[in-house]
Amino acid sequence: MEIAKAEVSVVEIPFPFDASGVGIMPTPWRSLEFALVRLEDELGNVGWGEAFGYFVVDASKAIIERLILPRLIGATITDIPAWNRRLQLDLHLFGRYGATVFAISGVDIALWDLAARRAGVPLHRLLAGDGPVRTSGLRSYASLMRYGDTALAVAACEQALARGYTAIKLHETDMATISACRDVIGPDVPLSVDVNCQWGGDFFTAHRQELADLEVAWVEEPVFPPEDFAALAALRSPGIPLAAGENWCTATQFAQAGDAVDIWQPSVTKVGGISEYLRILSMASAQGRPVVPHCPYFGPGYFATLHLAAAHPAMDDIEILYTDPEAWLCDVEGLRDGGTLCVPTGPGLGFEPDPDVMEKYRRA
């Protein structure tokens, strides 16, 4: 396919949040920022991608605009994974991980969307070939914010259950708050805990039995740095699955991780795009390892995650950021049925942004 046109834009949509907004992030977090990549081929087909960045998404946008799009416009792409690997090589002086790979991720997703649209098939069919796919019944969970307040965290758990969610992930670091949330949701609702590297090995070890008694589904990123594979491996024990991977970039780090954790959590907008994700899924399948994806936003990356899960049975438990933005880029809620999700069945990703929302929330 020949890339005739390409652009990247930032769309920022605020969301309400009762707490301070400080916790998971170093500064208040009250908006979703999307770096949206739009590619158009010589036939007029359009593919969409999404680069990661939280509220420094402008860094990813700058790399796409200055280092990737000039070499992409006018190019003919016949092998997306090979193009991805070549781009990683050519840009490695700008950093192997972080914003450079986030930028590559966004363009890679758009290329796969474009390829599936050209073929006239949903992306999961392009990925699975003649193999089986799942287009409904994908397990999901409500991924709560970090409230830093027991009453707010408990109330959010209650609200999520009332809205039909059947599993919950906390981002609280206080054991008393975690215990209170378990009390309110009851023993039968799966409960996982993501502490974003805040605990450390000593804290985890000291509270290991308490976590086991709370029957957590998994503990996510208990140590810093998140790629300290030796420290993670030393904490593994029966009864408390460990999970990590949202901050590992490229399949290389997942290969280096080995058996450091029980559950891998790659993020398609951070890891290098769909091409790298497929390499990780291949390794996970060979090892019989579950993959629980990270990608809580609601743009093309989220749709790519659904298609990857549809094509790979080892991938389940889709994260849904528990928030209500002022507007939706597209119909995300229409994909949810209580605690499960369905997968778009139209050509490509099935991501069709609302032009009015794009125009209203586009950032200069």
Side-chain angles (χ1 to χ4, degrees):
M1 55 189 172
E2 181 180 341
I3 307 304
K5 299 178 183 178
E7 64 176 350
V8 57
S9 56
V10 172
V11 174
E12 182 176 3
I13 303 177
F15 62 82
F17 188 44
D18 291 336
S20 68
V22 179
I24 296 176
M25 305 292 181
T27 58
W29 184 30
R30 290 195 171 90
S31 66
L32 304 178
E33 297 185 33
F34 303 85
L36 296 176
V37 179
R38 184 187 184 278
L39 303 183
E40 186 173 333
D41 69 8
E42 79 282 10
L43 302 176
N45 297 298
V46 173
W48 290 93
E50 177 185 356
F52 186 78
Y54 282 134
F55 37 67
V56 290
V57 75
D58 302 88
S60 300
K61 178 178 183 287
I63 292 171
I64 294 171
E65 289 181 329
R66 298 188 63 177
L67 301 179
I68 301 178
L69 295 193
R71 63 186 293 152
L72 185 62
I73 298 173
T76 298
I77 310 297
T78 58
D79 185 330
I80 300 172
W83 177 87
N84 185 312
R85 294 290 287 176
R86 183 69 221 184
L87 188 61
Q88 288 188 44
L89 173 61
D90 291 348
L91 299 188
H92 80 276
L93 291 177
F94 299 94
R96 279 287 293 139
Y97 306 122
T100 302
V101 177
F102 300 167
I104 293 172
S105 301
V107 178
D108 182 271
I109 293 168
L111 286 170
W112 278 99
D113 185 24
L114 195 54
R117 289 174 188 261
R118 286 172 67 95
V121 298
L123 178 61
H124 59 262
R125 179 47 63 198
L126 192 67
L127 299 177
D130 295 329
V133 295
R134 302 172 295 162
T135 56
S136 63
L138 273 65
R139 294 197 308 266
S140 67
Y141 65 88
S143 183
L144 274 54
M145 310 293 283
R146 180 177 297 165
Y147 303 95
D149 179 281
T150 299
L152 290 176
V154 165
C157 287
E158 293 174 325
Q159 293 163 8
L161 293 181
R163 293 176 64 172
Y165 287 95
T166 55
I168 287 174
K169 182 165 82 176
L170 302 176
H171 287 86
E172 305 301 323
T173 58
D174 175 65
M175 288 301 302
T177 300
I178 296 169
S179 181
C181 289
R182 167 55 84 192
D183 288 342
V184 76
I185 69 174
D188 298 327
V189 175
L191 177 69
S192 53
V193 179
D194 179 2
V195 298
N196 300 105
C197 302
Q198 297 297 312
W199 275 353
D202 290 344
F203 185 95
F204 178 86
T205 300
H207 294 277
R208 186 191 302 272
Q209 187 57 54
E210 188 176 355
L211 290 164
D213 292 342
L214 291 171
E215 297 184 330
V216 295
W218 69 79
V219 172
E220 188 171 331
E221 287 195 334
V223 304
F224 180 82
E227 70 277 12
D228 190 341
F229 306 131
L232 288 166
L235 295 179
R236 283 187 68 190
S237 63
I240 308 176
L242 294 185
E246 75 170 81
N247 290 305
W248 302 346
C249 275
T250 77
T252 301
Q253 283 202 313
F254 283 82
Q256 293 170 340
D259 292 326
V261 297
D262 302 279
I263 300 167
W264 283 357
Q265 297 178 302
S267 179
V268 72
T269 59
K270 300 173 76 173
V271 79
I274 291 169
S275 298
E276 283 293 307
Y277 215 108
L278 292 172
R279 296 178 64 209
I280 293 164
L281 286 171
S282 179
M283 289 190 293
S285 296
Q287 299 174 26
R289 190 181 307 279
V291 173
V292 172
H294 172 272
C295 194
Y297 277 15
F298 307 115
Y302 188 75
F303 281 69
T305 301
L306 294 179
H307 285 278
L308 286 160
H312 292 272
M315 185 172 162
D316 223 323
D317 294 308
I318 310 300
E319 185 170 21
I320 304 178
L321 185 65
Y322 188 68
T323 187
D324 291 303
E326 281 187 7
W328 295 94
L329 272 174
C330 57
D331 183 18
V332 173
E333 277 290 287
L335 300 173
R336 188 172 74 87
D337 181 14
T340 64
L341 292 165
C342 62
V343 184
T345 55
L349 289 173
F351 173 81
E352 301 292 347
D354 184 321
D356 293 333
V357 173
M358 287 275 292
E359 180 64 26
K360 180 177 180 178
Y361 294 98
R362 189 191 304 267
R363 202 169 69 203

